[in-house]
Amino acid sequence: MKISNNWLKDYIKTELKSERIGEFLTDIGLEVEGIEKFESIKGSLEGVVVGKVLTCEKHPNADKLKKTTVDVGDGKVLNIVCGAPNVGEGQTVPVAVVGTKIYDKTGNFFEIKEAKIRGEVSQGMICAEDELGLSEDHGGIMVLDETKYEVGKNFSDYFELTNDEVFEIGLTPNRTDAMSHYGVARDLYAFLSTNQQKGDFEKVSSVALNNEGTHEFTLEVEDAELTPRYIGAVIENVKVAESPSWLKDRLKAIGLSPINNIVDITNYILHGFGQPLHAFDADKIADKKVKVGTVAEGTKFTTLDGVERTLNGSEIIIKDGQNNPMCIAGVFGGANSGVSTETKTIFLESAYFNPVAVRKAAKAHGLNTDASFRFERGVDPNITRTAITHAIQMIQDLAEGNLVGDLLEEYAKKIEDNYVIIRFSKIEQILGTKIHKEKVKEILKALEIQVLNEIQNGFEISVPAYRADVTREIDVIEEILRIYGYNKIEAPQKISFTPVKLNAKDQDELENNWARTLQGLGFNEVMNNSLTSVKDETNAVKLLNPLSNDLAFMRKSLLEGLLQNAIYNINRKNQDIKFFEFGKIYNKKEKYEERKQLAILVSGRNVSENWLQPKSTTDFYNLKAFVKVLLERLAINYQEVALTDDRFSDSLAYESEGETLVRIGKVAPQMLKDFDIDQDCFYAEIELELAQKLRFNKELKFNDIPKFNKIRRDLALLIDKNITYQELYQTAKKNKSPFIKNINLFDVYEGKNLPEGKKSYAMSFELLNEEKTLEEKEISAVMDSLIKSFQKEFNAELRS
């Protein structure tokens, strides 16, 4: 938000420099992110003087140039080469002397220097209007009236130039009270008046108006809940024209483009007082009746930007007597009722609309205007009349309008101030320091918070309605601290805390454990927005009032966010991806589902490039190994099963107790193409709630280190090519022997010397009896049992 220093000082009189004001504003929570200089004419015409052309003759070396001598005062005559076709002897002209900076529209400049042009010395420049920033005219140099302009005088002396300093304030969304110059001045005064700083602040109020005659307009507010307060005024004989320079400069300083005097006045009031206004062409209001309410769902309405919109029936609509929409209240005006250069009579609106209704309407139509920004956060309901009377006075002065009849107003139920009780003990507890009650009372008074009653250990107070964000005791304490000064609160010399025992079975502990493990394996944690867009809306959860179309759905999977992270890094030459994310996904099937997952994405090299190791590209099995490291910490049993998932080209899942715990896959080519990724990516997702449940049900036990050695035996099996290692593994796991401790596949052979359709798997088995050394007959019994199982299930043969 931009705040003009000149404009600010219309409401608060202070001798403080802008840098000091910026420091104070930051101290009270209105963080000043920067201070920029504003000049109504860039460069302020510095270095430009009034001159008189003494001689003008053709340039000896150029057909389109002329050689002149120009008197610039104090007996100084300059030689200037000029290319303007209208330059002539005896003219009074603006001259930019050597050292002057000439600015273009973008703010860039060049400096006038003494130079030779086609062999002739030139000691300045005779200027055109556009070169000085006075207009767009470049038809030739400016020729001045010699009776009004004195040779040698600064050209800037003949203009009312505006020089200003503009604060860029990073305003938090809750501070609607400070979304105007008046609001910032009010807050600044509260600080200055309680911190021994000089400053005079005058509270604004309604102005007395001169009206004449009567009008035939009527007002009807259909729902006082949607429109608690509405004021309208009829102003005739309005002359829509260009605004005066001072008003245009005020708006330009804060980044607004002047349009015409009526629109500029409404913008001036908006940014001056924080109250949005809207002006209608009164001659276009059917039956001279203004109705405020709703219209039927599906009604078409064309807004000021020329877009035809379909209304949903919940918006607050300003209508005419025939129920034709004229404006989406508090959001955007209509194309057919706005003020134009032909407008003679206006209907001026000042209102307080229901913030929730305005926000819903703005979001439903994808609109974000200065008015909606304020209305949806809650403007001051008590400044409505003040703002419109000031606007009417300005229209009378600047547009020669005449106020006709009385103001129309509907205010069914006064919006009351907030009643709050604050306790001194609570203030001391929160701030860590004691503030004298008289100082608290002084700060509250400066904030326009009325002390209703002094009670034991505190005050009963009334918080003005314009402070929509101050409704609780803690809010008031924060206000007291802002004005008292954060810097006055001393940091404690020691910090006390109570250690909290961490529950080893807590899900947070599991997540922290897994996060540390993955970080140790070289992974980086990411956090993505749970709001997104989706290509396939099947089972997707859609928001009723999305911030934008790109954030209209709750994410169905964590994969898309990780792929966005991946392409962001790949585009910046970081192609080795190891990411993980803890996050929730949302689906709507028979009912709404919300599940928390751990998602892992790998791509690129498995090991960072170095001279010791060859280049190795990560693959499905690397990711599978990472997942198994995590699952080992659960100490649970799980089975590998087939998985069909459109997101993957190759995939599998792990199940435990009949539920899917893990999904692992190679990301499908089409999905990679959608994200412009041209390298393989591998993705895994683990169901966190299920992992926690399984872990919680598993009672961990500690075993002694075995006293006896493990025995290893190998089998080389000749099997059909369609048989997987997982099938062999599961068969071996079903063996009833308690001595089998580990099973591993250490070789696969599918080359020559094998029957057609066959392959060879070499598997190792580690056997251990924790009570005694295994005898050979016990070992043989186990291995024979395994061989029989493989022969029976897969028709396997032993290779010698």
Side-chain angles (χ1 to χ4, degrees):
M1 183 182 72
K2 294 182 182 294
I3 294 293
S4 156
N5 192 33
N6 290 348
W7 198 340
L8 190 67
K9 290 183 177 179
D10 285 350
Y11 305 114
I12 183 168
K13 307 299 181 186
T14 175
E15 299 300 322
L16 293 172
K17 293 184 178 180
S18 58
E19 290 79 9
R20 193 68 172 143
I21 292 174
E23 290 174 9
F24 287 154
L25 290 176
T26 298
D27 287 344
I28 59 176
L30 304 179
E31 184 179 359
V32 175
E33 298 173 343
I35 304 176
E36 299 177 353
K37 289 187 176 181
F38 170 79
E39 297 169 311
S40 54
I41 297 177
K42 194 66 176 175
S44 299
L45 302 177
E46 187 176 343
V48 181
V49 298
V50 178
K52 190 175 187 67
V53 181
L54 301 179
T55 63
C56 180
E57 57 186 46
K58 185 177 176 299
H59 192 292
N61 302 317
D63 293 338
K64 294 185 178 181
L65 298 179
K66 293 179 181 177
K67 179 183 174 184
T68 67
T69 56
V70 182
D71 179 8
V72 292
D74 294 332
K76 192 173 184 179
V77 177
L78 303 179
N79 295 309
I80 298 177
V81 175
C82 181
N86 65 328
V87 66
E89 189 175 312
Q91 293 174 335
T92 301
V93 293
V95 179
V97 300
V98 172
T100 302
K101 294 177 180 178
I102 301 295
Y103 291 83
D104 61 18
K105 295 178 182 178
T106 63
N108 296 320
F109 68 88
F110 68 90
E111 186 175 329
I112 302 297
K113 298 179 180 179
E114 183 174 321
K116 279 191 175 184
I117 302 177
R118 293 291 184 93
E120 297 294 329
V121 174
S122 183
Q123 299 169 305
M125 183 175 80
I126 303 174
C127 301
E129 289 188 20
D130 70 326
E131 292 167 334
L132 297 177
L134 299 175
S135 76
E136 300 293 322
D137 184 13
H138 193 67
I141 61 168
M142 288 183 70
V143 179
L144 308 175
D145 186 343
E146 63 180 0
T147 63
K148 296 180 180 179
Y149 292 86
E150 180 182 338
V151 173
K153 209 168 183 185
N154 291 328
F155 194 47
S156 59
D157 293 345
Y158 296 92
F159 295 86
E160 293 183 5
L161 300 178
T162 298
N163 292 300
D164 198 355
E165 290 169 303
V166 180
F167 302 102
E168 183 67 47
I169 296 180
L171 195 66
T172 53
N174 62 305
R175 292 300 306 277
T176 52
D177 63 296
M179 291 181 182
S180 65
H181 287 76
Y182 178 71
V184 172
R186 178 174 53 200
D187 223 34
L188 177 61
Y189 175 72
F191 178 81
L192 297 181
S193 64
T194 57
N195 286 274
Q196 287 94 41
Q197 297 289 335
K198 292 183 179 179
D200 294 323
F201 175 76
E202 185 175 348
K203 190 173 180 179
V204 297
S205 58
S206 299
V207 296
L209 299 170
N210 296 320
N211 62 345
E212 51 188 54
T214 59
H215 58 72
E216 300 177 6
F217 280 82
T218 58
L219 172 65
E220 178 186 342
V221 174
E222 297 174 355
D223 189 339
E225 290 292 328
L226 293 178
T227 310
R229 189 174 192 182
Y230 191 96
I231 303 175
V234 180
I235 307 171
E236 294 181 344
N237 303 321
V238 170
K239 293 182 180 179
V240 180
E242 187 178 353
S243 296
S245 297
W246 72 265
L247 178 53
K248 290 193 291 185
D249 289 343
R250 283 284 167 91
L251 298 179
K252 287 178 182 177
I254 60 172
L256 297 181
S257 299
I259 298 174
N260 60 52
N261 50 4
I262 302 301
V263 175
D264 293 349
I265 288 169
T266 61
N267 280 330
Y268 180 81
I269 296 298
L270 168 67
H271 292 277
F273 296 148
Q275 173 63 47
L277 304 177
H278 191 74
F280 301 91
D281 188 326
D283 294 329
K284 296 177 181 178
I285 302 176
D287 299 336
K288 297 188 182 299
K289 184 172 185 177
V290 174
K291 300 170 72 175
V292 187
T294 58
V295 295
E297 181 180 358
T299 301
K300 304 294 183 182
F301 176 56
T302 303
T303 45
L304 277 171
D305 55 1
V307 176
E308 184 180 72
R309 304 178 188 274
T310 302
L311 303 177
N312 59 34
S314 67
E315 306 96 336
I316 307 172
I317 300 296
I318 312 300
K319 306 174 287 185
D320 62 18
Q322 298 177 9
N323 290 322
N324 298 311
M326 298 191 296
C327 176
I328 302 176
V331 182
F332 213 23
N336 300 321
S337 61
V339 174
S340 67
T341 53
E342 281 72 43
T343 298
K344 300 301 178 187
T345 303
I346 65 171
F347 182 88
L348 187 64
E349 162 196 286
S350 180
Y352 178 87
F353 297 113
N354 183 289
V356 174
V358 172
R359 180 173 178 79
K360 286 183 177 179
K363 298 308 175 188
H365 296 285
L367 295 169
N368 183 20
T369 61
D370 283 337
S372 68
F373 184 76
R374 287 161 174 79
F375 274 128
E376 66 190 34
R377 288 163 174 79
V379 298
D380 181 3
N382 296 318
I383 207 170
T384 312
R385 176 174 282 268
T386 300
I388 197 170
T389 57
H390 280 264
I392 293 169
Q393 187 179 63
M394 290 182 71
I395 293 172
Q396 290 174 330
D397 293 341
L398 304 181
E400 301 180 19
N402 299 318
L403 176 63
V404 181
D406 296 327
L407 301 182
L408 299 172
E409 181 171 8
E410 287 285 345
Y411 195 11
K413 183 180 179 182
K414 186 178 185 298
I415 297 174
E416 300 293 341
D417 294 344
N418 293 313
Y419 173 82
V420 180
I421 293 177
I422 59 168
R423 296 163 291 168
F424 301 134
S425 58
K426 191 67 174 179
I427 296 173
E428 184 174 350
Q429 177 190 347
I430 297 298
L431 303 189
T433 189
K434 189 171 183 178
I435 303 177
H436 195 279
K437 72 175 184 178
E438 291 303 321
K439 186 64 176 180
V440 172
K441 188 183 291 186
E442 180 189 8
I443 292 172
L444 293 175
K445 181 180 178 181
L447 288 168
E448 300 183 0
I449 297 175
Q450 183 182 0
V451 176
L452 301 174
N453 189 26
E454 185 172 339
I455 59 176
Q456 185 178 6
N457 190 35
F459 294 135
E460 292 178 329
I461 60 175
S462 176
V463 181
Y466 67 77
R467 288 310 307 268
D469 61 319
V470 181
T471 58
R472 306 167 299 166
E473 180 183 28
I474 191 65
D475 299 328
V476 179
I477 294 173
E478 182 183 356
E479 290 300 294
I480 293 170
L481 176 58
R482 279 196 316 110
I483 303 305
Y484 179 75
Y486 291 103
N487 296 331
K488 293 181 182 177
I489 305 298
E490 294 183 3
Q493 297 299 312
K494 63 179 182 178
I495 298 176
S496 301
F497 72 96
T498 303
V500 178
K501 184 178 180 181
L502 184 64
N503 185 351
K505 292 185 177 180
D506 188 87
Q507 184 170 314
D508 289 339
E509 190 275 335
L510 173 63
E511 293 178 20
N512 291 335
N513 194 319
W514 277 356
R516 289 192 295 269
T517 300
L518 289 170
Q519 288 164 357
L521 292 169
F523 281 80
N524 292 300
E525 184 173 6
V526 300
M527 295 177 68
N528 289 307
N529 196 341
S530 58
L531 301 179
T532 184
S533 59
V534 296
K535 290 180 64 177
D536 180 10
E537 297 186 15
T538 306
N539 298 332
V541 179
K542 186 174 183 179
L543 301 186
L544 294 176
N545 292 296
L547 295 172
S548 69
N549 291 332
D550 292 334
L551 301 172
F553 293 88
M554 305 296 286
R555 62 186 173 192
K556 297 196 296 181
S557 167
L558 299 179
L559 173 57
E560 289 79 2
L562 288 174
L563 290 176
Q564 287 178 342
N565 301 140
I567 190 59
Y568 182 88
N569 280 266
I570 291 169
N571 289 339
R572 287 156 181 79
K573 307 303 180 185
N574 179 24
Q575 297 174 319
D576 301 329
I577 306 299
K578 280 187 174 181
F579 290 153
F580 73 94
E581 177 179 12
F582 293 99
K584 290 184 177 181
I585 62 169
Y586 309 85
N587 289 281
K588 181 183 179 184
K589 296 178 181 176
E590 294 180 359
K591 59 180 182 179
Y592 287 103
E593 291 183 0
E594 177 181 331
R595 309 198 311 273
K596 192 168 188 181
Q597 295 181 333
L598 165 61
I600 305 172
L601 185 79
V602 295
S603 184
R605 287 188 293 254
N606 184 43
V607 180
S608 298
E609 185 177 25
N610 64 78
W611 66 276
L612 280 174
Q613 296 187 9
K615 292 182 180 179
S616 59
T617 303
T618 194
D619 57 22
F620 187 92
Y621 299 101
N622 290 129
L623 177 58
K624 189 176 175 182
F626 292 137
V627 171
K628 285 196 169 186
V629 168
L630 300 179
L631 296 184
E632 283 177 3
R633 295 177 177 272
L634 297 181
I636 61 173
N637 297 319
Y638 56 88
Q639 300 79 42
E640 185 176 308
V641 297
L643 173 68
T644 301
D645 192 319
D646 293 339
R647 298 174 297 170
F648 308 129
S649 57
D650 296 305
S651 59
L652 60 82
Y654 291 153
E655 287 186 354
S656 182
E657 298 185 7
E659 296 185 79
T660 301
L661 175 63
V662 182
R663 300 171 193 84
I664 308 175
K666 180 180 180 181
V667 181
Q670 182 58 51
M671 180 164 276
L672 294 178
K673 184 178 179 181
D674 291 341
F675 287 87
D676 295 325
I677 298 175
D678 57 4
Q679 62 187 53
D680 289 339
C681 292
F682 303 90
Y683 173 78
E685 58 189 25
I686 305 176
E687 299 292 343
L688 274 170
E689 280 95 348
L690 178 58
Q692 172 64 11
K693 184 180 77 170
L694 296 170
R695 170 177 176 254
F696 189 83
N697 294 337
K698 185 74 175 181
E699 190 68 36
L700 292 179
K701 294 181 179 179
F702 292 92
N703 295 323
D704 290 335
I705 297 173
K707 299 177 181 178
F708 305 97
N709 294 330
K710 291 179 182 179
I711 305 297
R712 170 171 167 158
R713 290 291 184 268
D714 297 340
L715 289 178
L717 301 173
L718 187 66
I719 56 176
D720 294 337
K721 280 191 174 182
N722 62 341
I723 296 173
T724 65
Y725 166 67
Q726 185 65 23
E727 292 174 291
L728 297 173
Y729 179 86
Q730 293 297 338
T731 299
K733 290 290 286 184
K734 292 177 184 176
N735 193 284
K736 295 180 180 179
S737 172
F739 303 145
I740 301 175
K741 301 301 181 183
N742 192 28
I743 304 167
N744 184 45
L745 175 68
F746 66 88
D747 186 49
V748 177
Y749 180 69
E750 298 185 32
K752 299 178 182 179
N753 305 320
L754 291 181
E756 186 176 349
K758 297 289 185 176
K759 62 182 177 182
S760 174
Y761 272 4
M763 299 175 63
S764 66
F765 302 86
E766 290 185 350
L767 309 178
L768 173 67
N769 185 337
E770 297 177 359
E771 303 296 330
K772 65 184 185 74
T773 301
L774 281 171
E775 297 180 4
E776 189 60 38
K777 63 180 181 179
E778 292 175 311
I779 298 171
S780 297
V782 174
M783 298 309 295
D784 289 343
S785 174
L786 288 169
I787 292 169
K788 286 179 182 179
S789 298
F790 294 144
Q791 289 174 337
K792 180 181 178 181
E793 295 289 336
F794 308 108
N795 196 27
E797 300 177 30
L798 285 179
R799 292 185 68 205
S800 56

